[in-house]
Amino acid sequence: MNFKIIGRHMKESLTSMVRNRWMSFASISAVTVTLLLVGVFLVIMMNLNKVADDIENDVEIKVLIDLGVNETEELQLHQKVEKMPGVESVKYSTKKQELDKLVKDFGNDLSLFKQENPLHNVLYVKAENPKQTEKVAKEIMTYKGADKVSYGKGKIEKLFGFLNISRNVGIVLIVALLLTATFLISNTIKITITARRSEIEIMKLVGATNSFVRTPFIFEGMWLGALGAVLPIAVVTTLYATLHDKVTPTLENEIVQLLDVMPFILQIDLILLVMGVVIGVLGSFMSVRKFLKV
């Protein structure tokens, strides 16, 4: 197929869109609403994944060292934990440092501040693989000198469970929205084919091939989908950039961070554009295959 014929098909597809402007408007509007919701869900889901990764990678095992051990036994425990398979890092914190953290968090009015420090020296242990945190913690519990071992068991599992449910619900909603938009574009092309049935029959009588007849409708679906993606791309880009600028300063020293605007938002924009074109072409193809009797 040469460029002249492709240009003719494109012109026909644009003419058909103008001729059926109200149905085209309805299809573009459906794609716009669909992709706007899809864009919002994608931004939320991908940031939820980032949050999950940040939290997972920050999970530490807190080992309270027995108050009854001497310095030599404490050092032996420290070295033993460091040599454990699957341990990435071990950080030692004295009970004075632990008290300083409490004072920083709760203020100098802590009654403990003026009393003998009852806190433990602590080892903060990070596993190489966050999923192995529980296994490493259980092994440390068996070591002499480890008084208590904690790593947020239960809370972490609940958080990840919530994030997984949120992701699954988001995926289901996105698929449902895309199917709805595809169906609406399919109906638009169906009406166009019905209106041009006589013209199509004449084209077939003079020797037009199936692909020659089908191609303008495929282009029409592509235009509808691409145009429907323009507004969602603009809205999602603007809203996320604004949200990122306002939220990022408040999370400056926190574990959890939003994804950087670039290149994240460009990836989202590209996904929305491709989705728009794909559902447009798919809707056209479905309609042509089902209703175009050639």
Side-chain angles (χ1 to χ4, degrees):
M1 187 178 294
N2 59 40
F3 289 110
K4 185 177 180 180
I5 295 177
I6 292 175
R8 180 181 183 279
H9 288 325
M10 286 187 175
K11 183 178 178 181
E12 284 185 16
S13 65
L14 293 171
T15 302
S16 177
M17 285 175 57
V18 173
R19 186 184 301 128
N20 300 282
R21 63 179 67 89
W22 288 113
M23 285 303 301
S24 297
F25 177 76
S27 293
I28 292 172
S29 299
V31 175
T32 297
V33 173
T34 299
L35 292 184
L36 185 58
L37 294 173
V38 168
V40 170
F41 280 124
L42 282 175
V43 168
I44 293 173
M45 286 172 58
M46 294 178 77
N47 274 282
L48 279 177
N49 287 334
K50 173 73 162 51
V51 168
D53 289 340
D54 288 344
I55 293 174
E56 189 175 48
N57 292 328
D58 196 67
V59 172
E60 287 184 323
I61 302 167
K62 184 177 182 179
V63 183
L64 301 184
I65 301 174
D66 197 321
L67 293 173
V69 302
N70 56 41
E71 290 185 9
T72 301
E73 292 171 325
E74 199 172 85
L75 180 60
Q76 289 174 344
L77 174 63
H78 190 164
Q79 293 174 339
K80 192 173 183 179
V81 173
E82 279 185 326
K83 294 177 181 178
M84 283 179 61
V87 169
E88 180 181 292
S89 64
V90 181
K91 184 175 67 176
Y92 178 77
S93 177
T94 66
K95 61 183 181 180
K96 182 181 182 308
Q97 290 172 322
E98 291 298 299
L99 180 58
D100 289 342
K101 289 179 186 177
L102 286 176
V103 171
K104 183 178 179 181
D105 291 338
F106 298 102
N108 292 331
D109 58 340
L110 271 177
S111 58
L112 288 174
F113 191 69
K114 298 180 181 180
Q115 300 176 11
E116 182 179 350
N117 188 344
L119 301 178
H120 296 248
N121 294 331
V122 176
L123 294 178
Y124 289 98
V125 184
K126 183 172 286 190
E128 291 177 352
N129 182 352
K131 298 185 185 301
Q132 297 297 316
T133 298
E134 182 176 3
K135 179 181 177 182
V136 173
K138 286 182 177 179
E139 185 172 345
I140 294 175
M141 288 178 191
T142 65
Y143 292 171
K144 180 181 178 182
D147 182 57
K148 185 178 179 182
V149 179
S150 60
Y151 60 94
K153 183 179 180 180
K155 294 180 181 178
I156 296 298
E157 286 81 354
K158 287 180 181 178
L159 175 61
F160 287 140
F162 170 76
L163 293 175
N164 285 332
I165 291 173
S166 300
R167 283 194 290 260
N168 292 335
V169 170
I171 290 171
V172 171
L173 289 174
I174 286 173
V175 171
L177 290 168
L178 292 177
L179 289 176
T180 301
T182 303
F183 174 76
L184 288 171
I185 288 182
S186 177
N187 279 346
T188 300
I189 303 299
K190 174 188 173 182
I191 292 174
T192 302
I193 293 171
T194 302
R196 297 178 60 189
R197 186 172 296 278
S198 297
E199 179 185 344
I200 291 168
E201 289 176 354
I202 294 172
M203 291 170 65
K204 288 295 295 178
L205 288 173
V206 297
T209 62
N210 288 346
S211 62
F212 187 90
V213 176
R214 291 189 180 104
T215 302
F217 298 110
I218 301 299
F219 275 125
E220 184 174 346
M222 182 185 72
W223 298 131
L224 293 173
L227 289 172
V230 172
L231 184 59
I233 287 173
V235 172
V236 171
T237 299
T238 303
L239 289 181
Y240 186 72
T242 303
L243 177 67
H244 190 277
D245 289 344
K246 290 186 177 181
V247 173
T248 298
T250 65
L251 299 175
E252 188 173 356
N253 297 316
E254 300 296 329
I255 299 169
V256 176
Q257 299 289 330
L258 294 178
L259 288 162
D260 293 334
V261 175
M262 295 295 178
F264 170 64
I265 204 64
L266 290 178
Q267 295 169 347
I268 294 294
D269 291 346
L270 181 60
I271 289 172
L272 292 178
L273 179 60
V274 171
M275 280 185 173
V277 171
V278 169
I279 62 178
V281 171
L282 183 61
S284 296
F285 182 80
M286 289 168 53
S287 185
V288 168
R289 184 180 179 185
K290 187 173 182 180
F291 299 105
L292 187 56
K293 308 299 184 182
V294 292

